[in-house]
Structure formats: structure tokens, C-alpha cells
Amino acid sequence: MASIKVYVSIAVFGALLAASPALIAQTTLNSDAPAGLWSGVAKYNERDVPFHLEITKSADGIQGALLNGKERSVSSSGSYADGHVTLHFDYYANTLDATIADGALTGTFSGRGRTIPVTAQLNAKLPAAVTNPPRIAGVWDVAVDNGSKGEHTWKLRVRQNGPNVDAVIERIDGDTGNLYGAWRDGAFVVSHFTAAGPSFAVLRPQLDGTLQLETPAHGGATQAYTAHRASPVKTVALEGADDPKRHTSLKNPDEPLAFRFPDLNRKLVSNTDSDLAHKALIVSIGGSWCPNCQDEAPFLEQLYRKYHSRGLEIVELSFEESSQLQNPTRLKAVIQRYGITYPVLVAGTPDRLSETFPHVKNLDCWPTTFFVGRDGLVKSIHTGYAGPATTADNHQLENETTALVERLLADKSSSKDSKAVQVARIH
């Protein structure tokens, strides 16, 4: 397939400027100074994905922010000397390393074993918007026909303003976050470049009223699916693989979810500890490398601060790559970024997830969240997390999870016969 050029719309660029009131003054500096708005592309899966970086001076050197619409991914630290700029995004263990000369930035964005080339210009001129686009706003069902997690359908949610759209794809394990783009050359090409790295999708309207959705696949390939407009009548029953409260299950519901792992101070914490006994307990399985897990973290912290005094406990079981196990700097950065005060345990590497919990069926999504009653038994399991980009689905999930926590706290029974409750699905 030929390489697809990706452009940002004038409206999205305007949002980037609006998000940075001091930007206009900063970009009047010499062309070789790092401060300003740099716009260009990142080479990802053999495609050019828009890349927007705001660099500002600070007392400690420089700070960078990757911009996507009104969203900002701010660097943890940065330095600039002799035309060389380095920006660290510790909460994803990624680093931008580039040289700046004659108003051009050239470098790489690297971490987790991958290196992505980036190029950008200071105050780059963007192409004009294209008029008379087709209307694709709304919710679409994407047929994936036994996806990587066994699911059958994704949800595509699109908001549109003239030729400009922002879209989010919801899967069984979470969502893509907001993807921004515009109508050009017969397709809406949407993307973002955040501290976690780049992502993109191509939305091609078809003559029969469907959409062809193209997303990146392993090895630089592209996978294509067909999307139909969602019916206004919701399906009463979903396939088990597509329902986030049914996807993962215990092989024996009468057995507790057993765990025993060290925290960051190497203190072992177990589900049998007296601090966790006879408490309502949330056990979230994730990793600091996982964007959907980072989306879930502030909500879990909110629940913990609100309900801990009433008996709610939360434990995060974090699975990190081998390079992070000895000194989990990224995990520590995530804890600091979101102000996490509930216990976070280092549980091993992601490839050993199923081996670590052999009594759990279809444990293959990040995050997966277990809700445990005062009797020590699992009452509900929720796969994935509908993040803020999903808007209504995020609100619904958080409201229903809060109601579930209230019910778990209200249940004073320690009997194995206590009634199970479930988190409502997000579809």
C-alpha cells in the first residue's frame, strides 16, 4: 500500500495556538532558538504522522509539550545546548533527542525498544482546509471478526466540525485516545503523537454508506475493517467476548484472587494481610507502559480518597518489562504524576501474566480490574477502561463503578453466599 501523507487541519492548529497564550511572542526568537511551536511529522509504520511540539524556556533549561488539539503531554525534564535538545517523558520512559539548525528540528523519539524518526519546522505553514467533506459524525460499529482478544466488534466514535474530525476507537481492552485529522484525498486521516508515542487511523467513506477503517498492525503493516453506523436500538445481549464484564472470569468463583508481591520498598503485600481482610477491595492489573492503565489511575485514586475511610482498599499489580524491574523509574514517575497513594506492587513482566494467575480465564487485557467483597471473593471483573476520550462511556463506567463500590461497602456479609454484583458494560 502506498504511503499515506497525514496533515493536521487549520482548526486543530488553531486549537494548538489557543492552548499556548505566550506562543506568538516566543516564536519571534531567532530561527535557531529552540523556543516556539515546531510542526512536522514522525515516521511510523511507514507513514507520516503529524508531530507538534511546543518548547518553552524555564529556569531549569527548557520544557517541551507534545500537542494534540487541546491536549498537552508535558516533558518531565529537558535540556538544550549547542543546537542539541533532549526532552524526557519519564512517565512513559520515552525521550526526544534532536538537533536544531536553521529553523529545522531533526531527531528521534525512543523508548521501550523502538526508535521513531521525527522532523519539524519552526512555525511550519500548514495546508489549507478542504471543503465539502462527507458527514461521518456519530457512532459506528466496527466488525473485527475474532480480534486479537477474541472480540467481534469495536466502537468508533466520531465528532466532526466541517472538514475536521476527532475520533476514538474503543476496544475490549480500552481505547485509542483522541485521534485528530481532516478530510483530504478521499479520506479522513486521524492521528495523535503523545508522550506514549504515535497512533493513527484512516477513515474512508464507501459508496454503500459504510466506512473502511485502517489501523496500524505489527511489522509496519495495515489492517482494514468495515464499520457500519450503530443502530439506535441497543442490543439486549452482547457476545461474551465483547462484554467487558464477561470477557475475563475465574475458573472457580469460590476461590479468592490470591496475590503476594513486593511494593516499591520491597515489602511483601498479600491478599491475606490483615489490612485487606474483610474490606471491599479493588485489584487492578496493569503496567506503567499502558496508556489505558494511566487513564484509569486518577479515577482509582479518586475512589481511594473518597472511600478508604469507609473500608475500601485498592491494590495495583503492575507488570513491568525486565529493564524496569530492578529500578522501576517509569512506575515511580507514574505514581508521582497522578498522586497515587494506594499500594502499588511490582508483580513481574507482562509476558508472565497468565502464568501468574492460572486460575483466571481470558486474562489478556490491560487493565483488568477485580472487585472483591468483604468475604474475600471476587464479585465482578471489568476488562479494559473507557478513558476520557470516550466521553459518555467514560462517565457511565465511572458512575457505575462508583455505585458498585457503594454496594460492596454496604454489604457487611462475610459469607461465601453474599450476592455478586457486576459493573455494567460500557457499550
Side-chain angles (χ1 to χ4, degrees), residues 153 155 170 172 234 238 242-244 393 396 425-427:
T153 306
K155 181 190 292 186
E170 299 182 50
I172 189 65
K234 289 189 175 182
L238 294 175
D242 291 340
D243 188 340
D393 285 342
Q396 179 180 342
R425 56 181 176 264
I426 63 174
H427 294 272

Side-chain angles (χ1 to χ4, degrees), residues 188 269 337:
F188 293 91
V269 177
R337 178 177 176 81

Side-chain angles (χ1 to χ4, degrees), residues 192-231:
H192 67 216
F193 195 115
T194 70
S199 184
F200 76 90
V202 182
L203 312 177
R204 298 185 186 278
Q206 304 296 302
L207 294 177
D208 61 0
T210 64
L211 278 180
Q212 179 178 296
L213 169 66
E214 299 170 13
T215 62
H218 294 296
T222 298
Q223 51 195 358
Y225 306 100
T226 299
H228 295 80
R229 287 195 178 275
S231 169

Side-chain angles (χ1 to χ4, degrees), residues 41-272:
V41 296
K43 186 65 70 174
Y44 175 61
N45 270 43
E46 300 182 358
R47 288 165 173 79
D48 291 335
V49 175
F51 171 83
H52 302 287
L53 173 68
E54 179 193 33
I55 298 179
T56 56
K57 292 184 177 180
S58 68
D60 299 325
I62 63 168
Q63 183 179 72
L66 296 165
L67 307 180
N68 299 277
K70 295 182 179 180
E71 301 174 49
R72 298 167 58 86
S73 297
V74 180
S75 63
S76 308
S77 61
S79 63
Y80 175 74
D82 300 326
H84 180 212
V85 59
T86 303
L87 297 171
H88 300 287
F89 299 84
D90 292 348
Y91 51 102
Y92 278 111
N94 284 324
T95 298
L96 174 71
D97 188 281
T99 57
I100 292 178
D102 299 324
L105 180 151
T106 305
T108 59
F109 187 85
S110 59
R112 295 197 69 207
R114 68 176 181 176
T115 299
I116 300 167
V118 298
T119 57
Q121 299 287 324
L122 184 64
N123 301 328
K125 185 177 180 180
L126 299 172
V130 178
T131 57
N132 300 319
R135 298 293 300 173
I136 65 167
V139 179
W140 300 75
D141 290 330
V142 183
V144 295
D145 190 23
N146 196 25
S148 62
K149 310 296 184 184
E151 73 273 35
H152 304 288
T153 306
W154 295 344
K155 181 190 292 186
L156 169 67
R157 187 185 298 273
V158 181
R159 291 178 286 270
Q160 183 171 1
N161 181 14
N164 305 301
V165 299
D166 83 72
V168 58
I169 302 169
E170 299 182 50
R171 304 166 303 222
I172 189 65
D173 55 354
D175 63 271
T176 59
N178 289 107
L179 301 169
Y180 301 92
W183 171 251
R184 186 168 280 102
D185 298 331
F188 293 91
V189 184
V190 294
S191 65
H192 67 216
F193 195 115
T194 70
S199 184
F200 76 90
V202 182
L203 312 177
R204 298 185 186 278
Q206 304 296 302
L207 294 177
D208 61 0
T210 64
L211 278 180
Q212 179 178 296
L213 169 66
E214 299 170 13
T215 62
H218 294 296
T222 298
Q223 51 195 358
Y225 306 100
T226 299
H228 295 80
R229 287 195 178 275
S231 169
V233 179
K234 289 189 175 182
T235 305
V236 175
L238 294 175
E239 293 281 353
D242 291 340
D243 188 340
K245 74 177 188 299
R246 299 179 187 273
H247 178 82
T248 304
S249 60
L250 296 180
K251 295 179 180 179
N252 182 359
D254 292 327
E255 290 184 3
L257 181 71
F259 59 85
R260 187 171 184 266
F261 302 110
D263 63 15
L264 291 176
N265 295 317
R266 302 193 181 279
K267 174 188 174 183
L268 287 173
V269 177
S270 168
N271 64 296
T272 59

